[in-house]
Amino acid sequence: MKSLQELTRPNIWALAPYSSARNEYAGREARVFLDANENPYNHPYNRYPDPLQLELKDALSKVKGVPAGNIFLGNGSDEAIDLVYRCFCMPGVDNVVAIEPTYGMYKVCADINDTEYRTVLLDDDFQISADQLLAATDNHTKVIWLCTPNNPTGNCLKREEVIKTIKQFEGLVIVDEAYSDFSAQPALRTELLKYPNLIVLNTLSKAWGCAAIRLGMAFASEEIIGLFNKVKYPYNINLLTQQQALEALKDPFEVDKWVKLLLQERARMIDAFELLPICERVYPTDANFFLAKMTDAPRIYDYLVERGIIVRNRHKVQLCQNSLRITIGTRTENGELIAALRQYNPA
Ligand SMILES: *Cc1c(COP(=O)(O)O)cnc(C)c1O
């Protein structure tokens, strides 16, 4: 790996971050807060929230098996994705390499940050080759984006190829594990300390059932976390989100129950899809959704919308022609989708 300084934008490396009122006294006991121009009334919403979310990181550390000092919290994973560009990619100069197809935000944030976005097409099994990814890099490639289980394909990327990419690339490798709670494969975040160039993304938006509160995580070396902390908005995670996340983390067994239920439903749904004459194949999945190749995805999509059922039409995505991405819902919701598809008339 190149040195972190070489990989970081010089202005970010040199940046003196905003020092908030709450940063400056940090660590000492205090009773009277007359430093932040807050209103003394309307407790607890009158006070700025903890800018480093230490209590929440402690709780997450236990659940995720990652030390608190290696955790960054963002307003969704989307904040961490954007921060990767803002910290490492010089607009108009640097580039990133990503797999195709994958989660759309990596490209949107590249475009916003005026960073060239290079893609390497997955193979017919939606798998990567480390050699191909590395061949797409040059001296200005700061980041390789991987996503496993991948969205929208659903499958896990081959572990050996992911590790090889991390080991051989001189820059940073981001592995988005938004769906790892649904997968039997071991999560890479637990091997973080072995790889100084690895950033793993997680979110409370999927298995944890908390998409509304917007809480995403990046796990990385303390040095990388320090850069993110320097660049983020000082109070990026509001109090309500911190409180609600702490509440959710008290009951990880609830999440295990949801995951088990969703995986059962997923198996049932895949069986049902495979029997539909309008379904050509269901791709292997390790997530709470699956990709299905249909006879005519755009028409089936429109038909479902008319019946008030929304799935994701991926017809225009490379390698996903005529494919619909189906999220696993409740047993009732899934039943409604299957019933509607059984009534679909292709003629
Ligand atoms: C849904 C999803 C996320 C979640 O993003 P949040 O901003 O945390 O809600 C991240 N990555 C992938 C690949 C996703 O599909």
Side-chain angles (χ1 to χ4, degrees):
M1 174 191 175
K2 291 180 182 167
S3 75
L4 192 59
Q5 181 168 3
E6 262 180 288
L7 291 171
T8 306
R9 290 169 63 192
N11 61 311
I12 299 299
W13 190 261
L15 179 72
Y18 175 71
S19 181
S20 68
R22 286 301 132 81
N23 278 358
E24 288 183 356
Y25 89 88
R28 274 157 287 154
E29 287 293 312
R31 290 171 300 111
V32 181
F33 292 99
L34 303 176
D35 58 344
N37 299 345
E38 297 152 338
N39 188 324
Y41 306 111
N42 200 32
H43 175 81
Y45 305 112
N46 57 330
R47 298 296 178 193
Y48 282 101
D50 177 3
L52 291 175
Q53 311 99 21
L54 295 180
E55 190 187 354
L56 179 51
K57 283 178 185 167
D58 258 1
L60 273 168
S61 168
K62 293 190 183 93
V63 172
K64 294 289 182 177
V66 175
N70 297 99
I71 303 177
F72 165 82
L73 297 183
N75 187 332
S77 321
D78 294 343
E79 182 180 358
I81 293 167
D82 188 52
L83 275 176
V84 165
Y85 289 101
R86 295 208 290 151
C87 289
F88 303 113
C89 299
M90 181 90 88
V93 175
D94 290 330
N95 67 71
V96 301
V97 169
I99 55 175
E100 177 75 21
T102 193
Y103 184 48
M105 280 305 285
Y106 315 141
K107 176 164 193 318
V108 171
C109 289
D111 291 345
I112 290 169
N113 289 285
D114 194 16
T115 296
E116 183 195 347
Y117 185 82
R118 302 179 172 186
T119 57
V120 174
L121 207 58
L122 295 173
D123 69 18
D124 290 342
D125 296 320
F126 295 142
Q127 283 301 335
I128 56 167
S129 133
D131 289 337
Q132 273 184 32
L133 286 165
L134 293 164
T137 66
D138 66 15
N139 229 355
H140 285 293
T141 308
K142 294 294 186 72
V143 167
I144 295 178
W145 290 98
L146 299 177
C147 181
T148 180
N150 188 32
N151 178 3
T153 58
N155 61 301
C156 277
L157 303 179
K158 275 196 199 120
R159 182 79 159 196
E160 317 84 75
E161 295 296 309
V162 172
I163 299 287
K164 183 173 170 189
T165 307
I166 297 168
K167 282 189 175 161
Q168 295 195 2
F169 182 46
E170 295 272 81
L172 300 163
V173 178
I174 323 290
V175 179
D176 189 339
E177 293 192 326
Y179 299 98
S180 62
D181 293 299
F182 298 102
S183 169
Q185 288 220 8
L188 249 189
R189 66 168 187 274
T190 56
E191 294 184 47
L192 198 69
L193 302 182
K194 277 196 226 163
Y195 307 111
N197 63 333
L198 171 64
I199 301 176
V200 173
L201 302 182
N202 265 205
T203 178
L204 287 203
S205 297
K206 306 288 155 64
W208 285 81
C210 289
I213 73 172
R214 312 304 303 132
L215 192 80
M217 286 147 261
F219 305 123
S221 71
E222 289 190 17
E223 293 70 30
I224 292 174
I225 299 299
L227 282 175
F228 285 176
N229 283 339
K230 202 159 85 150
V231 175
K232 77 181 183 72
Y233 293 155
Y235 303 105
N236 61 327
I237 309 295
N238 71 66
L239 178 70
L240 299 172
T241 294
Q242 295 190 42
Q243 286 176 337
Q244 198 56 48
L246 277 166
E247 223 25 64
L249 288 167
K250 279 185 192 154
D251 206 355
F253 299 111
E254 188 70 11
V255 176
D256 292 343
K257 268 193 287 182
W258 288 334
V259 168
K260 242 175 138 178
L261 203 65
L262 291 170
L263 294 185
Q264 274 170 17
E265 275 299 297
R266 187 182 75 188
R268 202 173 69 88
M269 288 286 278
I270 290 174
D271 287 347
F273 261 70
E274 282 173 341
L275 292 175
L276 291 170
I278 55 169
C279 175
E280 291 184 355
R281 74 172 289 198
V282 175
Y283 296 97
T285 178
D286 255 309
N288 66 330
F289 62 85
F290 60 89
L291 193 69
K293 191 170 176 82
M294 312 299 282
T295 48
D296 187 351
R299 245 195 93 210
I300 298 167
Y301 173 81
D302 289 341
Y303 162 85
L304 290 171
V305 169
E306 241 165 72
R307 301 184 149 224
I309 299 171
I310 315 298
V311 298
R312 194 91 154 117
N313 181 8
R314 299 286 76 188
H315 176 63
K316 291 194 172 145
V317 172
Q318 278 196 82
L319 303 183
C320 299
Q321 209 194 13
N322 271 322
S323 294
L324 299 177
R325 193 193 69 192
I326 314 290
T327 305
I328 307 303
T330 63
R331 194 173 171 89
T332 314
E333 291 168 331
N334 302 334
E336 274 200 53
L337 172 63
I338 293 294
L341 289 174
R342 284 186 183 136
Q343 283 170 22
Y344 175 81
N345 178 6

